[in-house]
Amino acid sequence: MQFESMGRPSHTKEKLHQVASDLIWDNTFISVSLNQICQRAIVHKCSFYHFFRTKTDLAIAACERRWQETQPELDRIFAPQVPPLESLSRWCGSIQRTQREKARKYGHVCGCPHASLGAELAAQDERVRIKVEELIDRNTRFIESAITEAIREGSVSVNDPKTSARQICSYVLGLLLQARLRNDLNVLRDLQPTVVTMVGATERVPSDFELSAHDQECSAQKICTRTDMRNLARKERER
């Protein structure tokens, strides 16, 4: 195996970020050693230590990197010119599409990668807990801004945007956890109408979430165990 030299540091760091992101989505970051991470990224261990002191530092950096990649989409979803209830609906749709895409890639429903990582590492490293809490707060502020605007225009019945936003984010995190534990995308089917109901929308907002025949079959039958599906997905990526 030919390892990456330090002649291309930006490329080396990017590969480490990508491997960490894949492992976090795949819910396997905790079980993989630093040596295995370097092997998957095809970089020398000394190159890893050039950028990160510990495996946890890499995880935190990967989470922040994912946020930087996701934020432009959130900016579009919650743009001022988009009606607030439509923003909430689009946000729900984005979550559903992402979970569907990641399930196809990794062979199982992934849930929230940040929450999953935080649940496993927060007790071991306070920095992880702080980072995950920060990322959840950033998402919550987008929701709060939409609810604030919806209250201003009179399209919802709630009157405390901060509390409502926190309740919605808690609901979504819980739903993603259930979907992950059941390995079933159908758990997310009512995400959008439930969120709209939670803010007391005065008008119905349509949802465009649908599962393909393949996704429905996988969710309903669950022929493979999570381990089997993970192994199949890994083999597919290694081809």
Side-chain angles (χ1 to χ4, degrees):
M1 180 180 294
Q2 183 177 358
F3 287 91
E4 184 75 26
S5 70
M6 281 303 297
R8 305 169 64 187
S10 61
H11 184 51
T12 299
K13 190 174 184 179
E14 173 62 30
K15 290 172 72 174
L16 288 168
H17 273 137
Q18 185 57 57
V19 168
S21 178
D22 284 340
L23 293 171
I24 291 170
W25 270 111
D26 200 22
N27 310 134
T28 57
F29 186 84
I30 306 301
S31 62
V32 175
S33 70
L34 180 54
N35 284 334
Q36 290 172 315
I37 289 174
C38 291
Q39 288 174 358
R40 289 188 61 165
I42 317 180
V43 301
H44 287 290
K45 199 170 182 179
C46 61
S47 298
F48 174 92
Y49 286 119
H50 178 78
F51 298 107
F52 308 103
R53 291 183 305 164
T54 66
K55 178 181 166 184
T56 299
D57 289 329
L58 172 60
I60 293 172
C63 288
E64 179 62 33
R65 180 67 172 272
R66 167 166 165 72
W67 170 261
Q68 297 299 331
E69 294 172 348
T70 303
Q71 185 174 357
E73 180 182 5
L74 290 173
D75 288 336
R76 289 191 294 271
I77 290 173
F78 293 95
Q81 64 270 25
V82 180
L85 288 180
E86 184 176 338
S87 290
L88 290 175
S89 182
R90 290 184 182 183
W91 176 65
C92 292
S94 176
I95 292 172
Q96 291 164 326
R97 286 191 298 274
T98 298
Q99 289 297 313
R100 181 169 50 201
E101 291 166 2
K102 298 301 182 182
R104 290 174 179 171
K105 179 177 181 179
Y106 297 107
H108 62 88
V109 179
C110 297
C112 175
H114 300 149
S116 297
L117 183 71
E120 294 181 295
L121 278 182
Q124 302 176 32
D125 195 315
E126 177 71 1
R127 295 173 302 155
V128 175
R129 186 198 65 76
I130 292 173
K131 172 54 69 174
V132 171
E133 183 178 21
E134 176 187 336
L135 295 175
I136 292 174
D137 285 344
R138 291 180 194 175
N139 275 283
T140 304
R141 285 196 289 271
F142 277 99
I143 307 304
E144 183 180 346
S145 67
I147 297 175
T148 299
E149 178 59 23
I151 292 174
R152 188 195 65 78
E153 69 177 25
S155 57
V156 296
S157 61
V158 297
N159 52 26
D160 185 342
K162 185 179 291 292
T163 298
S164 296
R166 288 177 177 172
Q167 290 173 342
I168 287 172
C169 284
S170 294
Y171 162 72
V172 172
L173 286 173
L175 201 66
L176 288 171
L177 176 59
Q178 287 187 46
R180 176 189 167 190
L181 292 175
R182 297 181 186 180
N183 196 28
D184 188 355
L185 288 170
N186 278 302
V187 172
L188 304 176
R189 183 177 295 279
D190 295 327
L191 172 60
Q192 185 267 357
T194 302
V195 167
V196 171
T197 299
M198 290 177 71
V199 296
T202 56
E203 295 183 5
R204 182 178 179 276
V205 181
S207 172
D208 61 356
F209 178 64
E210 293 183 0
L211 290 178
S212 68
H214 173 72
D215 291 329
Q216 290 184 34
E217 181 179 358
C218 289
S219 294
Q221 295 182 5
K222 302 179 191 175
I223 297 174
C224 298
T225 64
R226 172 169 290 191
T227 300
D228 291 336
M229 295 175 73
R230 184 174 294 161
N231 289 338
L232 288 172
R234 185 172 294 112
K235 289 179 181 178
E236 183 65 26
R237 294 197 299 272
E238 292 173 351
R239 288 181 180 176

